[in-house]
Amino acid sequence: MNWALIGASTIAGQYIADAIRAQAAGEIIWVVSGSQARATSFANAHGIANTTSDLDQALQDPRVDAVYISSTNEKHHAQALAAIAAGKHVLCEKPLATTLVDAIDIVGAANAAGVMFATNHHLRCAGSIQAIAALVADGTIGQVLSMRIFHAVHLPEHLRGWRLDNPVAGGGVIPDLTVHNADVARFVLGEDPQNVSAQMGVSGMGQGVEDSAMSVWMMPSGAMVLSHDSFTHPFAKSGIEVHGTKGSIIAKGVLGQDPEGTIELTTKDGQQNIPFAKHSLYVETVRRFVQAAAGQGAPAATGLDGVKSLAVALAVREAARSGIRQKIDYGDRA
Ligand code: NDP
């Protein structure tokens, strides 16, 4: 599969270029940037033959089978629609867009065009998250009562740009991290949050957008999910707890970009560490996407998954802004 990277981004350079090349016959033949100089510098650093600041130039190349979109969030919608119109398969970064209407629009366009469209919710590709989901699905912890997701990180210096000061580009911890929590909760619990209460604030980094948020989501089963997201916590580390009538799962350090962390299960029989597969999260995301584009199965996270995670994040922000509990609006996609 021949790819064009749309966005000369950190994530493309750190993880996705290698993940594409880890696939059999995975080639990157274009990088597209808003700046020709940035495209050239990215291409030189990553060995990519063609560069452009004109998206259409790359999309008109018939050799391109698929695009990976990792520009800032406000650009995803237009870039995805252009790629879909050109008949390319699309792997798009989260959040799919800055509004629910735009996200639904992208997924509808991909369906109508018959191209594969997937969301890069890499965490559901982690062996750790899959192991936790399996423990929940097989009834090991009984009926789930609650879930706590701790995603309070210390934003690295080199990412302290638009995420902290640019609401138009989709900055803020809620579009950045709460969307991931929403996808993890949906994946692990197998149900979609119904409504949310939330608070957000600025705790040292944000300038014009929130850098911290806490929210509580009510699930259809009656389970509650507590989601804590922040850019400002140097030592908190990430984690997930799932508590059920027959057991508790306590996982630490499992919400990063690499296959790390620990999972501890406690039941009436005592405590045990749960082993899990340590494959690359991004290689797995791309592998599932390539397979799906070839007609074999579904991508790890579909476009609809991206719509739903965005819907949760938007409801969290509105609940925090208004101080009023929000029923989550999934469009008509719930
Ligand atoms: P970056 O800030 O590194 O890149 C985003 C865009 O900013 C790039 O596309 C580029 O624009 C522009 N840019 C990059 N470097 C510079 C620079 N030095 N000066 C000016 N502009 C620059 O963002 P991330 O890679 O962190 O995130 C990109 C997208 O990926 C977001 O949608 C984010 O939510 C998502 N993401 C997803 C992750 C996941 O695991 N699923 C992890 C991290 C991010 P241009 O394209 O025009 O060159």
Side-chain angles (χ1 to χ4, degrees):
M1 179 177 269
N2 288 324
W3 291 74
L5 302 181
I6 303 178
S9 69
T10 306
I11 179 73
Q14 278 187 338
Y15 287 99
I16 300 296
D18 286 348
I20 288 172
R21 288 172 169 151
Q23 315 298 321
E27 297 281 349
I28 303 167
I29 58 176
W30 285 93
V31 58
V32 182
S33 166
S35 140
Q36 181 58 51
R38 212 159 47 236
T40 303
S41 139
F42 189 97
N44 290 341
H46 298 284
I48 300 168
N50 303 290
T51 65
T52 183
S53 58
D54 174 6
L55 175 59
D56 287 339
Q57 193 186 357
L59 294 179
Q60 280 164 15
D61 184 338
R63 296 172 302 162
V64 173
D65 304 301
V67 304
Y68 166 64
I69 298 176
S70 65
S71 50
T72 47
N73 304 336
E74 87 287 11
K75 295 183 179 150
H76 296 176
H77 176 243
Q79 291 171 336
L81 289 185
I84 291 164
K88 313 300 185 189
H89 303 301
V90 178
L91 174 60
C92 187
E93 272 305 341
K94 45 51 65 172
L96 289 187
T98 54
T99 69
L100 193 66
V101 167
D102 281 357
I104 289 171
D105 192 32
I106 296 171
V107 175
N111 288 342
V115 297
M116 183 49 57
F117 183 91
T119 310
N120 186 21
H121 274 309
H122 66 298
L123 288 169
R124 60 166 69 201
C125 290
S128 56
I129 305 298
Q130 291 170 351
I132 294 167
L135 289 170
V136 171
D138 71 13
T140 301
I141 63 166
Q143 183 196 336
V144 173
L145 302 170
S146 62
M147 179 174 190
R148 302 201 284 181
I149 310 178
F150 306 102
H151 213 156
V153 302
H154 202 231
L155 193 66
E157 192 83 40
H158 66 277
L159 294 182
R160 293 181 195 171
W162 58 271
R163 276 181 175 77
L164 297 176
D165 66 5
N166 192 339
V168 174
V173 79
I174 294 172
D176 203 46
L177 298 184
T178 308
V179 280
H180 277 312
N181 294 4
D183 191 63
V184 167
R186 292 186 56 249
F187 181 70
V188 168
L189 301 182
E191 54 181 345
D192 299 333
Q194 276 181 327
N195 61 60
V196 305
S197 302
Q199 300 271 359
M200 63 182 173
V202 173
S203 59
M205 285 192 194
Q207 294 161 20
V209 292
E210 80 288 344
D211 61 24
S212 294
M214 286 192 182
S215 52
V216 179
W217 315 342
M218 184 60 78
M219 306 301 276
S221 64
M224 280 187 271
V225 177
L226 170 66
S227 171
H228 176 201
D229 303 289
S230 181
F231 289 145
T232 66
H233 288 43
F235 307 111
K237 302 216 168 94
S238 72
I240 294 177
E241 298 178 3
V242 193
H243 302 286
T245 50
K246 293 183 182 168
S248 283
I249 302 163
I250 299 186
K252 293 182 181 160
V254 292
L255 295 177
Q257 294 180 287
D258 297 308
E260 297 169 339
T262 57
I263 305 174
E264 192 181 271
L265 170 68
T266 305
T267 65
K268 65 178 175 29
D269 301 323
Q271 249 177 30
Q272 57 175 300
N273 287 324
I274 302 297
F276 56 87
K278 296 280 173 68
H279 52 256
S280 157
L281 285 58
Y282 296 101
V283 171
E284 180 64 5
T285 295
V286 177
R287 185 185 74 78
R288 294 276 303 273
F289 176 82
V290 170
Q291 275 194 350
Q296 295 158 22
T302 62
L304 181 56
D305 290 318
V307 167
K308 290 189 173 186
S309 64
L310 176 63
V312 176
L314 291 171
V316 167
R317 195 181 251 162
E318 181 54 22
R321 191 199 61 76
S322 65
I324 298 168
R325 186 173 64 181
Q326 298 293 308
K327 183 175 184 310
I328 300 172
D329 173 14
Y330 292 103
D332 56 358
R333 302 303 203 272

